[in-house]
Amino acid sequence: MVLGETQKMLSDGVAALRKRRYSPGKRKPKFFKRRVKFKAKWRTKKAVVVKEDKDEGVSPLVKKYWVQRYDLFLRYDQGIKMDEEGWFSVTPEQIAVRHAVRCGGGVVIDGFAGVGGNAIQFATMCHHVIAIDIDPRKIAMAFENAKIYGVEDHIEFIVGDFFQLAPSLKHETKACYISMGWIAAYWIIDYVFCTFTNQYVLSKVRVFRFPKDHKMRPLQGFLGILHVQKIQGNVVFLSPPWGGPAYRAKESFTLDSLKPKNGYSLFQVAQSIAPNVIMYLPRNVDLLQVEELSWLSSPPLKVEIEENMLHGRLKSITAYFGDIAFADLSMFEL
């Protein structure tokens, strides 16, 4: 009952938002859209005959994806493992590299890791990756694939439901006892933990004060507590199931079609975990709905929509929310 009322309130809120923002006579806001073309790296090897193999996930259903194997994983021949769903759901490697570059380091939480396409590239660019998937078989494959790229030590693989794990992925507060000049300690902690690891932020400084006749009075101002928050994630990456290859038959793919929950619920959970969100979406997604997601936050988040082109064709849409939107990537060309 509570869930139904919540969904109704969310739906009413979005409807009211549309009415307020797009009422007659009011100028429609614009969002930034960027088109990015990727140059695929081709292999000269002859085609290999595809055989049905349950363990490798190669079946008649995915034979048409076989020609794209090096787009999906450049190191496919070194033992990459995918199940049937992985063949049509994994992010092509060049697009995954783009996502990793946009994160700019820190901790990335991949809510629907699958066989590890994005998590592997995040690990090559960022300090740490938390890869979550509800399917233990997919997590096992992702781990094996990460070993091929040599980044398995930089990824924390978790079998579980992203929505159930979300509360544990939020900021965690720790207290650090400092027995030195508290001002100096502040700068040391700030510089070492925040600048170098990008995994901690200082939330509060408390200095001990003692009565005049107390024996610890000489240490007043030199003994204190720093409350440090461990950032569980700087960026949440969402590439939820699109419903299989059938999504292409839709003229307009709505966020309600995402699984296991609609795009609005997904975004709100991700936003509660980290200040930046990346969503990897079908090429036919309703862009107006994607833009509306930024207005679920107060104040509204910056949003940038990127068209991912592969082999001269529109492959997918990536939406960046938060400070990672509008990033200057003139120094990086794929």
Side-chain angles (χ1 to χ4, degrees), residues 8 14-15 46 76 83-84 91 123 157 177 187 192 195 199 210 219 222 244 271 278 280 282 292-293 330:
K8 185 177 184 302
V14 171
K46 295 182 179 179
Y76 179 84
D83 60 0
E84 188 169 274
T91 305
F157 295 97
Y177 294 80
W187 286 107
V192 174
T195 304
Q199 296 183 39
F210 305 98
L219 296 178
F222 288 86
Q271 187 187 5
I278 300 177
Y280 186 60
E292 286 174 348
L293 292 176
S330 58

Side-chain angles (χ1 to χ4, degrees), residues 94-235:
Q94 289 297 299
I95 298 178
V97 169
R98 175 78 175 188
H99 294 158
V101 171
R102 293 298 299 266
C103 287
V107 181
V108 178
I109 298 173
D110 188 347
F112 302 88
V115 296
N118 277 100
I120 289 170
Q121 299 307 322
F122 286 136
T124 63
M125 300 282 182
C126 308
H127 292 107
H128 187 65
V129 180
I130 300 174
I132 303 169
D133 201 279
I134 199 168
D135 186 347
R137 190 162 179 246
K138 283 187 172 62
I139 287 293
M141 292 179 180
F143 177 73
E144 293 299 322
N145 295 339
K147 287 170 64 176
I148 292 173
Y149 283 80
V151 295
E152 71 277 11
D153 293 335
H154 299 282
I155 305 175
E156 181 181 351
F157 295 97
I158 300 177
V159 178
D161 187 319
F162 171 69
F163 294 96
Q164 293 182 2
L165 293 172
S168 66
L169 298 173
K170 297 178 183 179
H171 290 185
E172 177 184 355
T173 302
K174 297 182 179 295
C176 297
Y177 294 80
I178 306 300
S179 57
M180 61 176 74
W182 68 271
I183 296 179
Y186 181 97
W187 286 107
I188 291 173
I189 295 295
D190 183 52
Y191 188 75
V192 174
F193 284 109
C194 304
T195 304
F196 275 97
T197 69
N198 202 24
Q199 296 183 39
Y200 295 85
V201 291
L202 284 168
S203 60
K204 184 171 61 176
V205 178
R206 178 189 173 192
V207 180
F208 290 142
R209 298 186 181 279
F210 305 98
K212 290 183 179 180
D213 57 347
H214 197 280
K215 63 180 180 179
M216 299 292 287
R217 175 71 176 186
L219 296 178
Q220 181 166 305
F222 288 86
L223 191 64
I225 301 177
L226 297 182
H227 291 267
V228 181
Q229 280 192 327
K230 181 180 180 183
I231 300 176
Q232 298 290 70
N234 302 94
V235 179

Side-chain angles (χ1 to χ4, degrees), residues 56-71:
E56 295 297 330
V58 180
S59 69
L61 180 63
V62 296
K63 280 185 178 180
K64 64 178 181 179
Y65 295 100
W66 178 256
V67 70
Q68 303 175 28
R69 59 194 182 280
Y70 299 124
D71 288 342

Side-chain angles (χ1 to χ4, degrees), residues 17 30 37 51 68 87 108 110 112 121 146 192 207 256 266 290 297 332 334:
L17 177 65
K30 295 181 180 180
K37 298 181 180 180
K51 297 181 180 179
Q68 303 175 28
W87 278 93
V108 178
D110 188 347
F112 302 88
Q121 299 307 322
V192 174
V207 180
D256 294 330
L266 280 168
V290 176
S297 174
F332 180 82
L334 286 173

Side-chain angles (χ1 to χ4, degrees), residues 89 114 181 265:
S89 63
S265 299

Side-chain angles (χ1 to χ4, degrees), residues 1-13:
M1 183 68 181
V2 175
L3 179 61
E5 292 177 355
T6 302
Q7 290 178 340
K8 185 177 184 302
M9 290 174 62
L10 180 61
S11 177
D12 293 343

